[in-house]
Amino acid sequence: SAVISQKPSRDICQRGTSLTIQCQVDSQVTMMFWYRQQPGQSLTLIATANQGSEATYESGFVIDKFPISRPNLTFSTLTVSNMSPEDSSIYLCSVDPQSNYGYTFGSGTRLTVV
Amino acid sequence: AQSVAQPEDQVNVAEGNPLTVKCTYSVSGNPYLFWYVQYPNRGLQFLLKYITGDNLVKGSYGFEAEFNKSQTSFHLKKPSALVSDSALYFCAVRDRGAAGNKLTFGGGTRVLVKP
């Protein structure tokens, strides 16, 4: 199965600042997904990132708040902009390697905004 | 839209006893169903998936799940639970997102296995 390296693993940030999260995959994948897991909650898809095109955002999420880059088939970044305490969550990237192992997830970034 | 529901927020079981984590689904067409486990401070780990074929799916770490079309269920099971199985378990279904397929998750079930 694909292996995803996600960083940082955690961060504590001041409100009003931005944080960029990186995901590196060990194989080429068409689509990469970014999820948010709020405290005590399930996972919600933020957006889908295809290489060479703008990310597609799910209802309730906007590019100005969560800009995404996808410069090649193995890498993507998610930025959480102008952060507030409500952005405190775990952010996870995911890929569908089209294998028998299902969608693969990064280890997550635990963000705390103070 | 496709959806899954996990009716139990928490399941407590003694070590060595059978473990069942419940999941029901609501889909149009044939469901693609998944189970994931999340350990503290870790990402999601894939356990197993059902696409087509045998209704009993065997996965990682001794887990299995039974697809039941008449009851629209996909319960996760383990014959003999271990303390190390204590974690958060998510059922998921492949759904149609804004850009194609995505996973839609249930609310999660916390499993506590007591020695």
Side-chain angles (χ1 to χ4, degrees), chain B residues 31-99:
Chain B
Y32 285 19
L33 297 162
F34 302 79
W35 275 103
Y36 285 85
V37 60
Q38 186 177 36
Y39 298 100
N41 301 314
R42 302 273 292 277
L44 266 66
Q45 296 182 26
F46 170 76
L47 286 177
L48 51 82
K49 69 178 181 182
Y50 172 83
I51 298 178
T52 61
D54 290 340
N55 290 340
L56 185 62
V57 181
K58 294 189 181 296
S60 306
Y61 313 121
F63 284 94
E64 59 188 28
E66 185 172 8
F67 173 73
N68 189 315
K69 189 172 184 178
S70 63
Q71 297 185 5
T72 62
S73 66
F74 188 56
H75 300 332
L76 181 70
K77 299 180 180 182
K78 187 171 184 179
S80 179
L82 302 173
V83 172
S84 57
D85 293 327
S86 298
L88 188 56
Y89 291 79
F90 289 100
C91 181
V93 63
R94 197 174 78 174
D95 193 4
R96 188 72 182 171

Side-chain angles (χ1 to χ4, degrees), chain A residues 41-56:
Chain A
Q41 303 294 317
S42 186
L43 285 81
T44 302
L45 182 67
I46 298 171
T48 303
N50 287 329
Q51 190 266 337
S53 63
E54 282 198 359
T56 303

Side-chain angles (χ1 to χ4, degrees), chain A residues 27-100:
Chain A
S27 58
Q28 294 184 341
V29 292
T30 303
M31 290 195 291
M32 293 182 72
F33 306 89
W34 287 97
Y35 286 84
R36 180 176 72 181
Q37 185 180 19
Q38 294 178 298
Q41 303 294 317
S42 186
L43 285 81
T44 302
L45 182 67
I46 298 171
T48 303
N50 287 329
Q51 190 266 337
S53 63
E54 282 198 359
T56 303
Y57 291 81
E58 299 296 310
S59 177
F61 297 96
V62 295
I63 187 171
D64 289 347
K65 178 66 176 178
F66 298 102
I68 288 172
S69 77
R70 184 78 201 276
N72 57 54
L73 290 173
T74 63
F75 186 78
S76 179
T77 67
L78 169 76
T79 298
V80 186
S81 303
N82 188 25
M83 288 184 287
S84 67
E86 292 70 34
D87 295 319
S88 297
S89 298
I90 298 174
Y91 294 86
L92 301 102
C93 60
S94 175
V95 302
D96 179 9
Q98 300 293 318
S99 73
N100 289 328

